[in-house]
């Protein structure tokens, strides 16, 4: 009964809210949709994308991409989908998934210090509470406990593979850009 209730909540409450927020963000940031498509296609080609327990849910990939646009680095939001994808790979390869929560701001000015403190407290409670090793904790201002997309169920090996493949892909892109030799990779038109 608990699994049925969780599936019902995910499919009929969380997913429509998430889709609406992502749609609004794609209108606000014109290249976000392209970045999301590139990231999902890359993850699917690496066999990391899955709606089931063996991989990372597509909604989590969308949240990872959203953070690049809503909480940009010193460079500001990416001005193209390709730049967004490279920043996605860089963020994935450098983020400390097991030691800090990944917090995403979906709506402007809604993620205040109080919510951040609550998310950090829930993360610290889970990591110290004997749950075991937390491999990925993705939270938003609406989902403080990282429960909407079952990110706590993603195995550590999947997250490690995710990080290693992102680093390898980023290194390959940097190599191709610095050497100018495009024979090392094949280009796929979208």
């Amino acid at each position: 009964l608990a699994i049925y209730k969780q599936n019902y909540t995910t499919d009929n409450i969380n997913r429509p809210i998430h889709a609406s927020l992502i749609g609004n963000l794609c209108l606000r940031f014109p290249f976000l949709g392209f970045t999301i498509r590139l990231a999902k296609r890359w993850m699917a080609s690496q066999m990391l994308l899955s709606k089931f327990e063996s991989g990372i849910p597509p909604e989590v990939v969308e949240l990872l991409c959203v953070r690049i646009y809503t909480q940009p680095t010193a460079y500001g939001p990416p001005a193209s989908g390709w730049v967004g994808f490279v920043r996605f790979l860089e963020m994935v390869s450098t983020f400390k998934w097991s030691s800090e929560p990944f917090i995403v701001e979906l709506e402007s000015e809604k993620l205040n210090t109080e919510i951040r403190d609550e998310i950090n407290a829930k993360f610290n409670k889970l990591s110290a509470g004997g749950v075991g090793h937390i491999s990925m904790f993705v939270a938003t201002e609406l989902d403080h406990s990282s429960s909407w997309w079952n990110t706590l169920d993603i195995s550590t090996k999947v997250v490690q593979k995710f990080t290693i493949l992102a680093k390898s892909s980023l290194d390959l892109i940097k190599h191709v850009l610095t050497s100018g030799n495009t024979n090392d990779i094949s280009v796929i038109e979208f």
Side-chain angles (χ1 to χ4, degrees):
L1 187 62
I3 293 173
Y4 174 76
K5 182 179 177 185
Q6 181 181 5
N7 289 343
Y8 178 83
T9 303
T10 297
D11 290 343
N12 297 307
I13 298 172
N14 300 347
R15 197 162 274 133
I17 292 170
H18 176 83
S20 173
L21 291 169
I22 296 296
N24 289 339
L25 286 166
C26 285
L27 291 173
R28 192 167 128 207
F29 301 105
F31 298 109
L32 174 60
F34 187 71
T35 301
I36 289 172
R37 286 191 302 275
L38 274 175
K40 284 183 176 181
R41 186 167 180 159
W42 175 81
M43 289 190 65
S45 72
Q46 306 300 328
M47 296 175 33
L48 293 167
L49 189 67
S50 175
K51 291 185 180 181
F52 307 105
E53 293 178 17
S54 61
I56 298 171
E59 293 85 3
V60 172
V61 179
E62 293 169 0
L63 291 175
L64 299 178
C65 292
V66 163
R67 180 166 163 171
I68 296 164
Y69 286 85
T70 60
Q71 297 159 284
T73 58
Y75 304 112
S80 78
W82 288 106
V83 171
F85 177 65
V86 169
R87 288 191 196 171
F88 165 81
L89 291 175
E90 184 176 15
M91 178 189 62
V92 167
S93 65
T94 58
F95 192 79
K96 296 176 180 86
W97 296 103
S98 60
S99 60
E100 59 184 283
F102 189 87
I103 303 172
V104 182
E105 182 178 18
L106 290 173
E107 297 181 86
S108 289
E109 319 252 333
K110 297 267 180 159
L111 189 61
N112 55 31
T113 323
E114 184 180 308
I115 293 174
R116 283 184 185 276
D117 291 342
E118 182 182 342
I119 291 170
N120 283 319
K122 287 185 179 192
F123 174 79
N124 292 333
K125 183 180 177 184
L126 277 173
S127 59
V131 171
H133 188 69
I134 296 177
S135 57
M136 185 180 270
F137 188 97
V138 180
T140 68
E141 64 268 21
L142 300 174
D143 178 20
H144 300 182
S145 58
S146 186
S147 61
W148 279 24
W149 312 115
N150 300 324
T151 54
L152 299 176
D153 296 338
I154 298 171
S155 79
T156 306
K157 292 189 187 254
V158 170
V159 176
Q160 287 173 346
K161 180 180 177 185
F162 182 37
T163 305
I164 290 168
L165 289 171
K167 174 114 176 72
S168 297
S169 297
L170 186 62
D171 289 344
L172 177 64
I173 290 171
K174 286 179 181 179
H175 170 72
V176 168
L177 289 176
T178 56
S179 71
N181 184 4
T182 58
N183 294 332
D184 294 342
I185 60 170
S186 60
V187 179
I188 300 171
E189 294 294 326
F190 290 98

